[in-house]
Amino acid sequence: MRIAVIGGGPGGLYFSALMKQLKPEHEIVVWERNAADDTFGFGVVFSDETLGGIENADTVIAAEMASQFARWTDIDVHFKGEAHTVGGQGFAAMSRKELLRLLQLRAIVLGVDVRFSTMPPDVEELSRDYDLVLAADGLNSSIRTRYADSFKPTLDLRASKYMWLGTDLVFEAFKFFVKETEHGIMQIHGYPYSDQGSTFIVEMHPDVWERAGFNASANTAFPPGVSDEESIAKIREIFAEELQGHDVLSNNSKWINFTTVRNENWRHNNIVLLGDAAHTAHFSIGSGTKLAMEDALALAACLHEHAEVEDALAAYETERRPVVESTQRAAQASLEWFENIGQYKDQDAVQFCFNLLTRSRRITHDNLKLRDPDFAALVDADFAARQGAGEAAPAMFQPHRLGELDLRNRVIVSPMDMYSAAGGVPGNFHLVHLGSLAMGGAGLVMTEMVCVSPEGRITPGCSGLYTDPQRESWREIVNFVHERSNAKIGVQLGHSGRKGSTKLMWEGIDVPLEEGGWETISPSALPYGPESATPREIARAEMDAVRDEFVSAAGRAADAGFDLLEVHCAHGYLLSSFLSPLANQRTDAYGGSLENRLRYPLEVFDAVRAVWPAERPMSVRISATDWVDGGNTEDDAVAIAEAFVKHGADAIDVSTGQVSKAERPAYGRSYQTPFADRIRNEVAVKYGASVIAVGAISSYDDMNSILLAGRADMCALGRSHLYDTKWTLHAAAEQEYVGKAAEWPLQFRAGRRKPPTARTEAVRPRLELVHHDVPIEQGNHVRWRPQSADQASESAQSIPV
């Protein structure tokens, strides 16, 4: 093959070296516009997984890199005058300059034509004359821009400011310095990369950056290679204590905003993107160099395995894209956490440290127990102490007080519509369904959305509380829960609005009824989706009538004995529609501004609160984002939550979306938790309210991690409880917890231990003399303490490239 490589960074060079090893006959030319020794940046970090791939692919490069590595396992988090160390992570870093030197030499020795200080020919010419054109031309890729119609890039410019610096202070571990200054929170991401220095990245919110006066250089155009020395002098002053008398080093260092790059496609004919040209991931989660070298390995392998370039490029993207997208999801969570770091400034140091470590959701509580069991135990003890709990238990089994209601644990069975009522009356199905869930150990069991009128139902199978027979049937269910379990039971009241008069879910979700339907209402005469019926705009007098229906239903719910009442203001139902500008385009006092859009939902909430027993708590479920441009955002959600809390809500149940058929949710594990996190730390903590996280939370490990990090006070799980009605009791058994927060019903107690299987009964012999998973001498805490220069010289074993 004839291969043209645009960009002589680590990705382009490593790919070229690998291709030459696979087949020396390949003709490969690398064009690099900079000189060979023009290297920006300081250190690069690699994971053990990536290093394993490099070693398998090229033992020479792997050995050379290993000889240069600074290695350590610890993370030190400095916050509020405390330093906490967490071990067992596994890091390897080296100088970016040295890495480039090794890769340049390796490529040249193997016969790659590397042309430094040389601009490439026009890409159209290269595409015509070469079998493959590799666009490894970085974040600001001109090739990506040239073929934007094919690649379809998205460039997400983030708000926070950061500067890439170095220091001659050699850190012993990965360092997070989180410093509360007079201007606000600033943070340092630092790590060693040699026996000479460390990377030192300073980052802060743009408001903090501006208050600190760093914006003085905002309009200065620094030439390539020139650093913002005025800002750097100020950084030296602010972080003098952390630097311990050492210097800050610059290298083309200036304030920048991180850009997350995504492309719908990575290839255009025989042109393919690699590294930062194709994708970026925030520096707080890893290294762009690491991703680029992984790309190079995958692309070289696919080209070797497929006879046709087109097939190879398709295989490369199919194989590599899921890996990159997973990394980008974690990086997105991490960068957003650091962007909002100020909301955690009131957390105590231990919780903050755990919060930081678990920010991307890749590290969880259970994972941390394997890495550093001592620190995990400290986190558990700290959480229990802050709850005033006497019992040592996993976070999910710590009690919680919701208003005046005491819950034995923090597990909630989320409201789930069952579409199985007859004439709005819940029957034996609901008794068995909710009764079994209550006996399964959850602290609080929620009903489905119980409708306040026949016209407020979603489907003919939805239950209600608009008649006395309905109340009596609910009373029977509530009594069973109270008599047969330690659970509390809550009712969710709602009105379907424009999403009503539809078929049962399994007959066609959101499909209008063909017979027996009813007219729907909404703030504005706008259908929910293309197939939905157009609702009638609700008039003021009818708003009063619906409000009174909520009040009547709340009175019946109180009579039935429910412990908690939740007002449903989410998912595009009537009250949610008032909140969203996508559904509410009224021109009266109930439309327009968020204050106006809140007016009617708050009016309903106040009316219900007035009749609901004062000693019983109320919660509100909201959609924290509409997932549609022009709809409600998380900033709106914070304001909405604060309004309800000020009106007396004891808890905010934070869901998202389902307000418009045009939504594009960012699905993923615990994907709605960041919204709960922000509302809890910006609103709920201030007013003494609670926050419920919901949405793709399925494991007790994730639940414990969410609670310990302070992202929510409780977690609501839906589908997990459909899969396993005893989810909570089984979670207790898996964690070997025995206590009052997860008591098995007497009738089921004989089954509280997991039944043995062939595998669990087998007793395995010891087959190794020494366990190799944890170094015997070092344990899980390894610091980077380089040898003296003389010792290093004597012990160095260099493999020629």
Side-chain angles (χ1 to χ4, degrees):
M1 290 180 65
R2 299 189 73 227
I3 301 173
V5 178
I6 313 303
L13 292 169
Y14 187 51
F15 167 81
S16 302
L18 292 177
M19 288 299 290
K20 271 292 191 180
Q21 289 175 81
L22 288 169
K23 196 166 187 178
E25 292 79 13
H26 291 317
E27 179 188 335
I28 304 174
V29 182
V30 177
W31 283 272
E32 170 53 54
R33 65 179 182 176
N34 293 314
D37 56 353
D38 284 348
T39 305
F40 302 124
F42 295 90
V44 291
V45 183
F46 294 95
S47 66
D48 290 339
E49 183 179 50
T50 302
L51 293 177
I54 292 172
E55 186 173 11
N56 290 333
D58 188 333
T59 56
V60 173
I61 281 294
E64 279 294 313
M65 290 173 64
S67 71
Q68 300 280 342
F69 279 145
R71 289 187 178 273
W72 70 97
T73 65
D74 284 353
I75 295 175
D76 296 342
V77 180
H78 299 256
F79 180 65
K80 286 187 174 179
E82 296 184 27
H84 290 278
T85 296
V86 184
Q89 312 301 315
F91 296 102
M94 66 181 297
S95 161
R96 178 179 173 82
K97 181 177 181 178
E98 285 301 308
L99 176 63
L100 273 174
R101 184 185 67 81
L102 293 176
L103 291 171
Q104 289 168 357
L105 289 172
R106 182 64 171 155
I108 292 169
V109 166
L110 289 168
V112 177
D113 181 359
V114 184
R115 302 177 184 180
F116 297 108
S117 303
T118 306
M119 295 298 292
D122 184 77
V123 66
E124 290 282 356
E125 178 185 335
L126 292 175
S127 179
R128 183 185 64 244
D129 295 343
Y130 286 80
D131 300 304
L132 174 71
V133 178
L134 180 65
D137 53 343
L139 172 66
N140 300 311
S141 170
S142 61
I143 297 175
R144 185 185 64 224
T145 302
R146 176 88 167 261
Y147 301 108
D149 289 345
S150 292
F151 294 127
K152 298 180 180 178
T154 301
L155 306 181
D156 180 14
L157 184 67
R158 305 306 300 185
S160 288
K161 297 287 187 178
Y162 76 98
M163 186 183 292
W164 206 284
L165 297 162
T167 176
D168 57 0
L169 171 60
V170 181
F171 294 135
E172 294 184 355
F174 212 118
K175 292 280 190 176
F176 289 104
F177 295 103
V178 180
K179 187 162 189 169
E180 187 165 4
T181 72
E182 60 181 312
H183 314 294
I185 296 287
M186 301 180 186
Q187 64 263 16
I188 297 293
H189 309 248
Y191 57 87
Y193 60 81
S194 72
D195 57 359
Q196 300 295 314
S198 304
T199 296
F200 194 80
I201 306 169
V202 60
E203 183 186 25
M204 65 196 73
H205 191 277
D207 292 345
V208 178
W209 177 80
E210 191 168 326
R211 286 195 295 267
F214 288 120
N215 60 336
S217 61
N219 296 320
T220 303
F222 295 96
V226 177
S227 298
D228 182 353
E229 296 298 343
E230 185 176 339
S231 289
I232 293 168
K234 190 173 292 187
I235 290 168
R236 288 190 184 99
E237 182 180 342
I238 292 172
F239 290 100
E241 181 181 351
E242 289 74 17
L243 288 164
Q244 303 173 35
H246 288 264
D247 198 9
V248 171
L249 310 175
S250 62
N251 181 353
N252 196 41
S253 303
K254 57 204 75 173
W255 292 112
I256 49 180
N257 299 69
F258 187 82
T259 300
T260 300
V261 175
R262 298 180 179 88
N263 287 274
E264 287 189 26
N265 302 299
W266 292 354
R267 50 205 161 95
H268 169 78
N269 298 330
N270 65 339
I271 303 169
V272 63
L273 301 175
L274 181 143
D276 284 355
H279 48 70
T280 59
H282 192 252
F283 53 82
S284 63
I285 204 67
S287 148
T289 299
K290 160 187 153 17
L291 283 176
M293 292 180 70
E294 288 177 353
D295 283 354
L297 195 157
L299 178 58
C302 289
L303 286 164
H304 186 63
E305 293 165 356
H306 294 80
E308 300 296 328
V309 170
E310 183 178 354
D311 294 339
L313 298 187
Y316 160 65
E317 189 163 351
T318 298
E319 174 185 320
R320 188 72 185 133
R321 182 177 286 278
V323 178
V324 168
E325 289 178 346
S326 174
T327 300
Q328 287 192 309
R329 282 193 297 272
Q332 186 74 12
S334 181
L335 76 84
E336 289 177 1
W337 191 92
F338 280 108
E339 286 176 344
N340 298 307
I341 197 170
Q343 71 188 32
Y344 307 117
K345 63 183 178 62
D346 294 326
Q347 287 190 335
D348 83 322
V350 173
Q351 184 177 50
F352 180 89
C353 182
F354 180 81
N355 195 353
L356 185 152
L357 291 168
T358 58
R359 66 194 181 278
S360 72
R361 301 191 284 277
R362 284 195 162 183
I363 294 179
T364 62
H365 178 257
D366 272 10
N367 184 259
L368 188 61
K369 283 168 67 176
L370 294 174
R371 295 168 184 255
D372 192 335
D374 291 340
F375 183 76
L378 175 64
V379 171
D380 289 338
D382 175 76
F383 184 82
R386 283 186 287 104
Q387 313 313 311
E391 184 181 22
M396 63 184 290
F397 294 119
Q398 292 291 351
H400 185 65
R401 190 169 179 81
L402 184 55
E404 298 298 315
L405 182 66
D406 290 319
L407 301 175
R408 289 202 170 199
N409 61 54
R410 294 165 185 255
V411 183
I412 298 175
V413 175
S414 196
M416 294 177 284
D417 291 319
M418 292 289 109
Y419 311 105
S420 299
V425 179
N428 288 337
F429 174 87
H430 292 81
L431 176 64
V432 173
H433 168 60
L434 294 171
S436 62
L437 290 168
M439 295 177 74
L444 174 65
V445 175
M446 293 297 300
T447 68
E448 60 194 67
M449 184 176 88
V450 178
C451 304
V452 299
S453 68
E455 297 76 21
R457 293 176 298 165
I458 309 166
T459 74
C462 291
S463 64
L465 260 172
Y466 47 86
T467 69
D468 290 345
Q470 292 166 356
R471 176 194 61 200
E472 293 311 306
S473 187
W474 280 118
R475 189 197 306 275
E476 182 181 355
I477 294 168
V478 170
N479 288 342
F480 180 90
V481 170
H482 287 159
E483 291 168 5
R484 294 292 183 175
S485 77
N486 293 318
K488 305 299 182 183
I489 183 168
V491 61
Q492 184 188 69
L493 292 184
H495 188 296
S496 62
R498 66 177 184 167
K499 294 178 73 175
S501 191
T502 60
K503 295 181 179 181
L504 303 183
M505 181 181 69
W506 41 86
E507 294 175 350
I509 189 167
D510 296 324
V511 176
L513 289 168
E514 296 165 359
E515 296 181 5
W518 55 89
E519 187 178 31
T520 59
I521 56 175
S522 186
S524 302
L526 300 169
Y528 170 60
E531 297 182 356
S532 303
T534 300
R536 173 170 48 81
E537 182 175 305
I538 187 171
R540 175 63 255 191
E542 195 171 8
M543 289 164 62
D544 290 342
V546 171
R547 178 201 62 207
D548 294 343
E549 289 169 350
F550 270 91
V551 170
S552 295
R556 288 190 176 93
D559 291 343
F562 283 104
D563 301 297
L564 172 145
L565 185 148
E566 179 167 280
V567 178
H568 201 339
C569 293
H571 298 170
Y573 299 121
L574 182 63
L575 299 184
S576 171
S577 293
F578 268 93
L579 292 172
S580 173
L582 300 176
N584 183 352
Q585 297 180 10
R586 299 174 72 97
T587 57
D588 61 6
Y590 297 92
S593 67
L594 180 57
E595 180 183 6
N596 284 357
R597 301 198 309 272
L598 266 163
R599 195 182 305 274
Y600 183 61
L602 288 173
E603 184 180 317
V604 171
F605 178 87
D606 290 343
V608 171
R609 179 74 271 184
V611 300
W612 184 248
E615 71 278 5
R616 301 188 210 178
M618 281 183 62
S619 62
V620 178
R621 174 168 277 200
I622 66 171
S623 286
T625 178
D626 291 344
W627 298 115
V628 178
D629 289 341
N632 279 333
T633 67
E634 61 179 295
D635 291 334
D636 298 316
V638 170
I640 291 168
E642 184 165 23
F644 279 112
V645 170
K646 284 183 174 178
H647 279 247
D650 298 285
I652 302 296
D653 186 358
V654 185
S655 187
T656 64
Q658 300 181 52
V659 175
S660 167
K661 278 288 189 181
E663 69 177 3
R664 297 186 66 184
Y667 289 121
R669 194 172 112 246
S670 309
Y671 72 105
Q672 296 177 156
T673 299
F675 302 101
D677 185 356
R678 183 173 173 190
I679 289 171
R680 181 183 186 274
N681 286 287
E682 289 191 22
V683 176
V685 170
K686 180 166 59 174
Y687 295 101
S690 296
V691 163
I692 302 165
V694 61
I697 303 168
S698 58
S699 72
Y700 64 77
D701 185 22
D702 281 339
M703 182 173 179
N704 284 329
S705 299
I706 289 166
L707 297 173
L708 289 166
R711 298 182 182 120
D713 300 287
M714 296 167 287
C715 293
L717 292 80
R719 289 179 175 86
S720 297
H721 281 111
L722 294 180
Y723 181 78
D724 180 3
T725 58
K726 294 185 178 64
W727 184 89
T728 305
L729 295 178
H730 291 157
E734 293 285 347
Q735 296 173 85
E736 299 182 347
Y737 168 77
V738 177
K740 61 184 180 181
E743 292 183 334
W744 284 68
L746 291 173
Q747 298 87 341
F748 300 158
R749 196 156 291 180
R752 67 183 181 272
R753 293 182 181 85
K754 191 173 183 178
T757 65
R759 189 166 183 83
T760 57
E761 285 181 335
V763 180
R764 304 294 176 187
R766 181 184 177 113
L767 298 175
E768 57 184 6
L769 183 62
V770 178
H771 288 295
H772 296 288
D773 52 347
V774 177
I776 297 298
E777 295 182 1
Q778 296 177 320
N780 60 350
H781 288 290
V782 178
R783 313 287 284 182
W784 171 240
R785 294 189 175 111
Q787 300 167 307
S788 69
D790 291 341
Q791 290 173 315
S793 176
E794 291 174 8
S795 61
Q797 294 182 357
S798 180
I799 302 174
V801 299

